[in-house]
Amino acid sequence: MVTIADVAKHAGVATSTVSYVLSGKRSISPETRQRVHASVDALGYRPNASARALASSRSNVLALVIPLRAGMHVPVMMQFATAVVTTARRYDHDVLLLTADEGATGLERVQQSSLVDAVVVMDIELYDERVPLLRALDLPSILIGFPLDAEGLTCIDLDFVRAAELCVDHLADLGHQRIALLGTPSAVYERQTGFAHRTREGFRAGVDRRSVHGVETPCESSHEAVLKTVEQLLRDEPELTGLVVQNEPIIGPLLDVLRSLGRRVPEDMSVLAICADDVAEGQRPRLSSVSIPAEQIGQQAVELLIGKLDGLAPPAGTLVPAVLTARASSGPAPQLDRSTTA
Amino acid sequence: MVTIADVAKHAGVATSTVSYVLSGKRSISPETRQRVHASVDALGYRPNASARALASSRSNVLALVIPLRAGMHVPVMMQFATAVVTTARRYDHDVLLLTADEGATGLERVQQSSLVDAVVVMDIELYDERVPLLRALDLPSILIGFPLDAEGLTCIDLDFVRAAELCVDHLADLGHQRIALLGTPSAVYERQTGFAHRTREGFRAGVDRRSVHGVETPCESSHEAVLKTVEQLLRDEPELTGLVVQNEPIIGPLLDVLRSLGRRVPEDMSVLAICADDVAEGQRPRLSSVSIPAEQIGQQAVELLIGKLDGLAPPAGTLVPAVLTARASSGPAPQLDRSTTA
DNA sequence: AGCGGTTATCGAAGCGCTTCGATCAATGCT
DNA sequence: AGCATTGATCGAAGCGCTTCGATAACCGCT
């Protein structure tokens, strides 16, 4: 193993000089700098991460707490994770994977052992047990999602309230009078997951504002559940003409079910989804949707976090604006003269 | 921050004694041990990871190289990842996330900087560029998947050859004469991904052995592609009665497509999948399948790796036996008197 | 010529831990 | 009783790096 001392000897300088060349924390003459760089290359020197971390109290590692819980949609999580890792690398950091089942304990552990410099936490609940801990822990953090009380924390997320409102507005603009929010599995609501609650909130606000009739129902992620839920929905609301879906895995099954129940999309039923763009475009018909810009959020999260580590004061909350893209699944409300039996 | 010296002082012993109590590498009298443990608890001591790593040349971190490439099915990856993290934690290790796009470079980097003790590599190609590197690098590793030349490497994977053979046998036993393998997206074959090739190999071997007629086709993961591929398949092979699918995301669409083409499952067409059990059971009809025990494989991978770190000689290759579960999607071959036009 | 102020470099201390002798007491053996 | 052996503990060295003065050389001033 080649150490900084080897490089120093090879370049004919002190180890501290090599260190300063590499960190740029003191000015070094161009000649020495070049000589050192040459030696680094010649010897293939790589700083030892532990030694560096020990001496500088900076590990250059971020922790990513990834949820593995019921009802969470995996591909989206992976998009977040990928964006986080990729961006972290761009800032010369690595990413340690923590599973949410280690919960608060895990956060405490990695901080107390100085394993990581900062932490990205996903899947935030309104009353998240990790929130008070993060406040107490003096470990720089960013939450992807908003707890109810975000005081003193840095959070970022899609503006789900607005996302739902956009959907309601879009449907109302098209003349729909009776619409429904087909939501996440009920476990997600019971856990008080922020994004699901905020979407519901936005849906209610939009429905009120536009004076349309709105109903909400959770939906489990199986084909049968979708069938049952939709049947129930149509039984309760025979004149339903618009659907807002926030539940990626059921999107395919939902379209099947509507087809099998004889409801054409968008002629009989307009469908809007809150989901990743590629999912929306992969459906027949292509779905009008508010996209979840996971990559952008993940990237921005890391950038905020790195900024924090560099002493910058980040904004307390960042809401990524929701954007609705109209595609083929939404259209004008049909005339209300059909007799429907589910 | 409380250090080992604080603990030592509090317990009235030398720091080395504290260290030995914690590591168990030398015998310590029961009284001292208890006293030290009491002090550790009283002060809330946690060893500093960097210091420990520096002094012992062991970081207690494993790297996990996760693929983010075209055609890979994300939920399965996540199951592997979760199992790896969970198991690693059980052996007091953490997991650093590396994305495959850093490729060989990333492996070199984490090793040369002593960031990790060992590495788990997923998504292995037959001629994987990382394989020669791993052989050279003197970084303990385990591959989830087999390259063509696994000499000197430790690998583990489901026995995909056998998996495909089981499927062929099952169909042949039911009297099917003309069957097809509906495979992964072609990018996965082109990349020479091990599991896809081995499945194909097993399919061919099975077909030969049982003297049935078999065709193979890759399939992209979109609804349209499934439709086109299946139509083409039925045009080429009108008397096809059995399908083996190795492509999780298209399973839903495939069943749709068959339905829309008027092929009942299993009356007209038997469908076998190589996929996670929960996916197979989430379909209508429930799919007969060979399951991919991601959790088991991930766990075993880490255990082999930890064993290696402890100096145990691991088996060169571990093939997890394939198991076929017959459910509702496979049945006896229909009589061959129908006239089909696709 | 002499002075303060840069600029470039060095040397040494120290980050918190592990680990290698060394020490000392207690033990068992002849 | 005397010696080697074992068990429990200590002290110090050192892992590879960063960082903090200190130093020396040089600049432009007066």
Side-chain angles (χ1 to χ4, degrees):
Chain A
M1 163 172 277
V2 28
T3 74
I4 201 173
D6 300 330
V7 175
K9 200 180 304 169
H10 187 273
V13 298
T15 64
S16 50
T17 304
V18 177
S19 179
Y20 287 125
V21 167
L22 262 33
S23 70
K25 292 192 179 173
R26 280 196 184 176
S27 59
I28 297 286
S29 70
E31 306 86 66
T32 335
R33 194 182 315 142
Q34 286 193 347
R35 208 142 34 84
V36 168
H37 277 134
S39 299
V40 164
D41 291 348
L43 302 179
Y45 168 70
R46 293 284 186 123
N48 178 300
S50 319
R52 175 173 274 192
L54 178 58
S56 67
S57 330
R58 284 280 224 115
S59 67
N60 273 35
V61 175
L62 310 179
L64 172 65
V65 186
I66 224 174
L68 301 158
R69 307 160 85 175
M72 299 307 295
H73 187 55
V74 177
V76 174
M77 307 274 79
M78 273 301 272
Q79 285 181 48
F80 277 114
T82 305
V84 166
V85 174
T86 309
T87 311
R89 286 299 309 136
R90 225 179 10 253
Y91 291 91
D92 200 32
H93 283 245
D94 273 284
V95 174
L96 199 79
L97 196 58
L98 252 40
T99 59
D101 60 351
E102 251 201 296
T105 320
L107 289 176
E108 226 167 331
R109 182 174 63 79
V110 295
Q111 197 234 5
Q112 295 185 352
S113 60
S114 301
L115 243 187
V116 308
D117 296 335
V119 54
V120 180
V121 186
M122 302 179 61
D123 187 31
I124 301 295
E125 302 170 5
L126 291 185
Y127 304 93
D128 203 297
E129 59 149 345
R130 297 164 298 188
V131 161
L133 185 71
L134 284 172
R135 251 193 284 263
L137 217 50
D138 167 47
L139 169 68
S141 63
I142 184 151
L143 316 194
I144 297 186
F146 283 76
L148 202 59
D149 174 14
E151 179 64 34
L153 297 171
T154 312
C155 307
I156 183 171
D157 208 356
L158 177 63
D159 187 344
F160 280 101
V161 174
R162 190 83 194 91
E165 287 185 324
L166 281 177
C167 291
V168 174
D169 280 340
H170 180 69
L171 290 173
D173 290 345
L174 288 167
H176 294 265
Q177 291 297 321
R178 305 189 87 80
I179 66 180
L181 171 65
L182 197 60
T184 66
S186 51
V188 176
Y189 293 104
E190 279 156 20
R191 211 168 55 221
Q192 310 247 54
T193 308
F195 77 91
H197 272 263
R198 291 209 157 68
T199 305
R200 192 146 82 176
E201 197 181 302
F203 183 79
R204 286 176 188 167
V207 154
D208 277 5
R209 186 162 36 74
R210 301 299 299 255
S211 304
V212 298
H213 182 72
V215 298
E216 310 147 7
T217 173
C219 185
E220 308 308 311
S221 299
S222 76
H223 196 279
E224 274 132 335
V226 176
L227 181 60
K228 251 179 43 188
T229 308
V230 172
E231 281 179 345
Q232 182 64 46
L233 210 49
L234 292 176
R235 206 173 301 127
D236 296 348
E237 287 290 335
E239 290 173 354
L240 199 70
T241 61
L243 228 38
V244 177
V245 195
Q246 178 179 44
N247 187 333
E248 280 205 27
I250 69 161
I251 288 176
L254 170 65
L255 294 176
D256 284 0
V257 161
L258 289 174
R259 208 174 298 134
S260 72
L261 295 175
R263 306 276 181 143
R264 292 163 304 162
V265 175
E267 293 82 354
D268 305 319
M269 182 73 78
S270 284
V271 176
L272 291 182
I274 300 174
C275 70
D277 267 336
D278 55 339
V279 173
E281 305 206 323
Q283 310 298 322
R284 288 302 84 80
R286 292 175 212 281
L287 295 188
S288 302
S289 71
V290 173
S291 73
I292 300 182
E295 193 171 321
Q296 182 200 330
I297 295 176
Q299 175 181 334
Q300 212 173 329
V302 171
E303 284 168 352
L304 286 170
L305 201 47
I306 297 282
K308 250 182 157 172
L309 287 175
D310 292 347
L312 274 61
T318 307
L319 278 178
V320 176
V323 177
L324 187 146
T325 306
R327 299 197 182 82
S329 67
S330 56
Q335 298 316 307
L336 301 179
D337 52 29
R338 65 203 311 278
S339 70
T340 312
T341 342
Chain B
M1 165 174 273
V2 29
T3 75
I4 200 174
D6 300 330
V7 176
K9 199 180 303 169
H10 187 274
V13 297
T15 66
S16 51
T17 303
V18 176
S19 178
Y20 287 125
V21 167
L22 262 34
S23 71
K25 292 191 179 172
R26 281 196 182 174
S27 57
I28 297 286
S29 70
E31 306 87 64
T32 338
R33 193 180 317 139
Q34 286 191 346
R35 208 142 33 84
V36 168
H37 277 136
S39 300
V40 164
D41 290 348
L43 302 181
Y45 169 69
R46 291 282 186 125
N48 177 300
S50 319
R52 176 173 273 192
L54 179 59
S56 67
S57 330
R58 285 283 222 113
S59 67
N60 273 35
V61 175
L62 309 179
L64 172 64
V65 185
I66 224 172
L68 302 159
R69 306 160 86 174
M72 299 306 296
H73 187 56
V74 177
V76 174
M77 308 274 79
M78 274 300 275
Q79 283 182 48
F80 276 115
T82 305
V84 166
V85 174
T86 309
T87 312
R89 286 297 312 137
R90 230 186 359 259
Y91 291 91
D92 200 32
H93 283 245
D94 273 284
V95 174
L96 199 78
L97 196 56
L98 254 38
T99 59
D101 59 352
E102 252 203 295
T105 319
L107 290 176
E108 229 168 327
R109 182 174 64 79
V110 295
Q111 197 232 5
Q112 295 184 353
S113 58
S114 301
L115 244 186
V116 308
D117 295 337
V119 53
V120 180
V121 186
M122 300 180 62
D123 187 32
I124 300 296
E125 303 170 4
L126 291 184
Y127 303 94
D128 203 297
E129 59 149 346
R130 297 164 299 189
V131 161
L133 184 72
L134 284 173
R135 249 192 287 262
L137 218 50
D138 168 45
L139 168 69
S141 63
I142 184 149
L143 316 194
I144 298 187
F146 282 77
L148 201 60
D149 174 12
E151 179 67 32
L153 297 171
T154 312
C155 308
I156 183 170
D157 208 355
L158 176 64
D159 187 344
F160 280 99
V161 174
R162 190 84 194 94
E165 287 186 325
L166 281 177
C167 291
V168 174
D169 280 341
H170 181 68
L171 290 173
D173 289 346
L174 288 167
H176 295 265
Q177 290 297 321
R178 307 188 85 79
I179 66 180
L181 172 63
L182 197 59
T184 65
S186 51
V188 177
Y189 293 104
E190 278 154 20
R191 212 167 59 219
Q192 311 248 52
T193 308
F195 77 90
H197 272 263
R198 293 210 155 67
T199 306
R200 191 145 82 175
E201 195 181 302
F203 184 78
R204 287 176 188 167
V207 156
D208 277 4
R209 187 163 34 73
R210 300 299 298 257
S211 306
V212 298
H213 181 73
V215 298
E216 312 147 7
T217 175
C219 186
E220 308 309 310
S221 298
S222 76
H223 197 277
E224 275 133 335
V226 175
L227 181 59
K228 252 179 45 186
T229 308
V230 171
E231 281 179 343
Q232 182 64 45
L233 209 51
L234 292 176
R235 207 172 303 128
D236 295 347
E237 288 289 338
E239 291 176 348
L240 198 70
T241 60
L243 229 36
V244 178
V245 195
Q246 177 179 42
N247 186 335
E248 281 205 27
I250 69 162
I251 288 178
L254 170 65
L255 294 176
D256 283 1
V257 162
L258 289 174
R259 210 173 298 133
S260 72
L261 294 176
R263 306 276 181 143
R264 292 164 303 164
V265 175
E267 293 81 353
D268 306 319
M269 183 72 80
S270 284
V271 175
L272 291 181
I274 300 175
C275 70
D277 267 337
D278 54 339
V279 173
E281 303 204 325
Q283 310 298 322
R284 291 298 86 79
R286 291 175 211 281
L287 296 188
S288 302
S289 71
V290 173
S291 74
I292 299 183
E295 192 171 322
Q296 182 200 331
I297 294 176
Q299 174 181 336
Q300 213 173 328
V302 171
E303 283 169 353
L304 286 169
L305 201 48
I306 297 281
K308 251 181 155 173
L309 287 175
D310 292 348
L312 273 60
T318 308
L319 279 178
V320 176
V323 178
L324 188 147
T325 307
R327 299 197 181 81
S329 68
S330 56
Q335 297 318 304
L336 302 180
D337 52 28
R338 65 206 309 280
S339 69
T340 313
T341 339

